Amino acid sequence: MTPTTLVTGGAGFIGSHLCERLVAAGDEVLCLDNFYTGTKENIRHLLLKPNFELVRHDIWLPIYVEVDRIYNLACPASPVHYQNNPVSTTKTSVLGAINMLGLAKRRQARILQASTSEVYGDPKQHPQTESYWGNVNPIGPRACYDEGKRCAETLFFDYHRQSGVDIRVVRIFNTYGPRMHPRDGRVVSNFIVQALSGEPITLYGDGQQTRSFCYVDDLVDGLLAMMKQEEEVGPVNLGNPVEFTIRELAEAVLRLTCSKSELIFLPLPQDDPAQRQPDIAKAKSIIEWAPKVGLEDGLKETIAYFRRKLTA
Ligand code: NAD
Ligand code: UDP
């Protein structure tokens, strides 16, 4: 029987790519979003598909729908947006997890949580394995997101142990690609938009902090494979293990856009992690997953998207 799949945050950056893949695979897809950071534009091409449905709803509130699988992605992911209304961010992660886990329990549906590398905070272990408990400041400006996602993981594992809910938890590392919001403040979209508009490239700190960037198509492959497999509830890291400094990213963007934008250095935001790189041995062994798209190819696709967007 065709599964009915709920994607919360389905009009967001990753959610819209996931909905697209699920619709193409023939699932009945229910996309739920409150449009806080997502847009109708991201899913406009899916609206006329017979197996796609859109619901405007906030996951703080319970919802009664008949679904077989749930991908719980609803939550702003950019520091600028999740810090804009931090109380709302924690409510989305915690109340949203309770509501979606309650729905999964009633429906006996499998539910996947989009957790994050931010559960490792400013990590003292490098690269980060899933067994690392992290180094998070519980009262800092990133805590609404980091602690919200950590509490959501706690709820997932407690619903699993206490009520037998069929969970999957993935920890997503920095992901980029087309349909990132041009002004969402994340580093890849910021640098590309700045380079294409001839504005200065804003490096925070000395630009020597590192991140590992995963192209969105690779990430969606990982989400689908984790949902499908029967062996492991998680947590499982999903990310590209190739690590770059933020300055190297800026230089790559300048080269690929042929931009003459200057580099400027601004203060490093509080609690900004110094380094981040996933150990993906677990994903390799359980779902035989590893990213295929290198930074240069992924950036070219993303730059082409923003060029179209900025000239539209
Ligand atoms: P995004 O901001 O583009 O998408 C989030 C979506 O959730 C948006 O469409 C937004 O409108 C919706 N949303 C927010 N609060 C909601 C609420 N209360 N009720 C209903 N909808 C709500 O971000 P993204 O990059 O697509 O991230 C998707 C998920 O993946 C998030 O849970 C995020 O924490 C996680 N994640 C993303 C990254 C990344 O690098 N992109 C890294 C780690 C984890
Ligand atoms: N960053 C930057 N310039 C920008 C935006 C971000 O130097 O215009 C840095 C930021 O300080 C961090 C890294 O890029 O060290 C990644 O930031 P992002 O907000 O994309 O994600 P994070 O991994 O911090 O959640």
Side-chain angles (χ1 to χ4, degrees):
M1 220 180 74
T2 311
T4 299
T5 303
L6 172 64
V7 180
T8 77
F13 158 52
I14 297 174
S16 62
H17 287 273
L18 177 62
C19 285
E20 195 172 272
R21 292 278 291 276
L22 292 166
V23 165
D27 284 25
E28 288 292 333
V29 177
L30 186 56
C31 167
L32 178 158
D33 211 293
N34 69 352
F35 298 110
Y36 177 53
T37 50
T39 62
K40 282 193 192 149
E41 201 49 43
N42 283 345
I43 40 130
R44 194 173 299 285
H45 60 299
L46 298 174
L47 289 172
L48 291 177
K49 301 276 185 190
N51 56 338
F52 181 81
E53 209 176 329
L54 174 65
V55 184
R56 181 192 284 264
H57 182 81
D58 198 308
I59 59 161
W60 299 2
L61 303 169
I63 185 165
Y64 293 86
V65 281
E66 305 312 302
V67 295
D68 309 303
R69 287 183 177 175
I70 304 167
Y71 289 87
N72 189 34
L73 270 61
C75 186
S78 150
V80 173
H81 284 135
Y82 70 62
Q83 290 172 25
N84 180 47
N85 187 342
V87 173
S88 155
T89 300
T90 305
K91 282 185 175 173
T92 291
S93 277
V94 177
L95 299 179
I98 291 171
N99 288 327
M100 291 307 116
L101 284 160
L103 173 61
K105 182 176 161 188
R106 179 178 68 79
R107 285 291 305 160
Q108 297 186 335
R110 182 170 292 174
I111 178 166
L112 179 145
Q113 168 68 354
S115 191
T116 168
S117 53
E118 286 285 322
V119 300
Y120 303 124
D122 189 4
K124 300 293 176 219
Q125 177 189 296
H126 194 73
Q128 294 80 54
T129 55
E130 291 85 349
S131 57
Y132 178 53
W133 289 354
N135 177 39
V136 172
N137 174 359
I139 56 168
R142 295 176 86 101
C144 57
Y145 184 75
D146 300 10
E147 297 291 13
K149 289 283 188 178
R150 285 168 70 97
C151 184
E153 286 200 12
T154 306
L155 286 161
F156 267 71
F157 278 86
D158 282 338
Y159 268 79
H160 176 61
R161 283 186 289 256
Q162 193 176 327
S163 309
V165 173
D166 188 13
I167 62 163
R168 301 287 181 272
V169 175
V170 297
R171 292 181 178 157
I172 302 171
F173 284 64
N174 297 65
T175 299
Y176 71 100
R179 303 202 197 117
M180 293 183 89
H181 198 285
R183 296 280 168 202
D184 86 352
R186 281 183 275 190
V187 68
V188 175
S189 45
N190 264 14
F191 285 2
I192 294 177
V193 170
Q194 289 163 347
L196 292 177
S197 320
E199 295 165 11
I201 307 282
T202 54
L203 282 158
Y204 300 159
D206 60 6
Q208 291 309 305
Q209 69 272 37
T210 67
R211 294 292 187 273
S212 308
F213 299 102
C214 185
Y215 189 63
V216 66
D217 289 356
D218 283 333
L219 194 267
V220 171
D221 285 343
L223 296 178
L224 294 168
M226 270 303 291
M227 179 62 104
K228 200 169 164 195
Q229 59 80 32
E230 304 287 338
E231 197 184 323
E232 170 72 47
V233 294
V236 172
N237 289 339
L238 293 180
N240 193 318
V242 185
E243 186 182 12
F244 293 90
T245 65
I246 295 304
R247 183 167 185 140
E248 286 169 332
L249 174 73
E251 282 160 0
V253 169
L254 283 176
R255 182 167 44 80
L256 294 169
T257 51
C258 303
S259 169
K260 299 270 182 287
S261 289
E262 57 167 337
L263 299 182
I264 58 165
F265 293 86
L266 299 178
L268 190 67
Q270 189 190 330
D271 296 337
D272 199 279
Q275 52 183 6
R276 192 182 284 154
Q277 183 190 27
D279 180 319
I280 59 164
K282 203 167 167 185
K284 276 186 178 156
S285 103
I286 293 159
I287 50 174
E288 295 175 3
W289 178 87
K292 299 189 191 88
V293 183
L295 185 66
E296 178 138 346
D297 288 339
L299 283 179
K300 282 182 186 161
E301 292 292 326
T302 314
I303 289 166
Y305 168 79
F306 280 114
R307 259 192 221 287
R308 288 195 300 275
K309 186 115 189 129
L310 296 177
T311 51

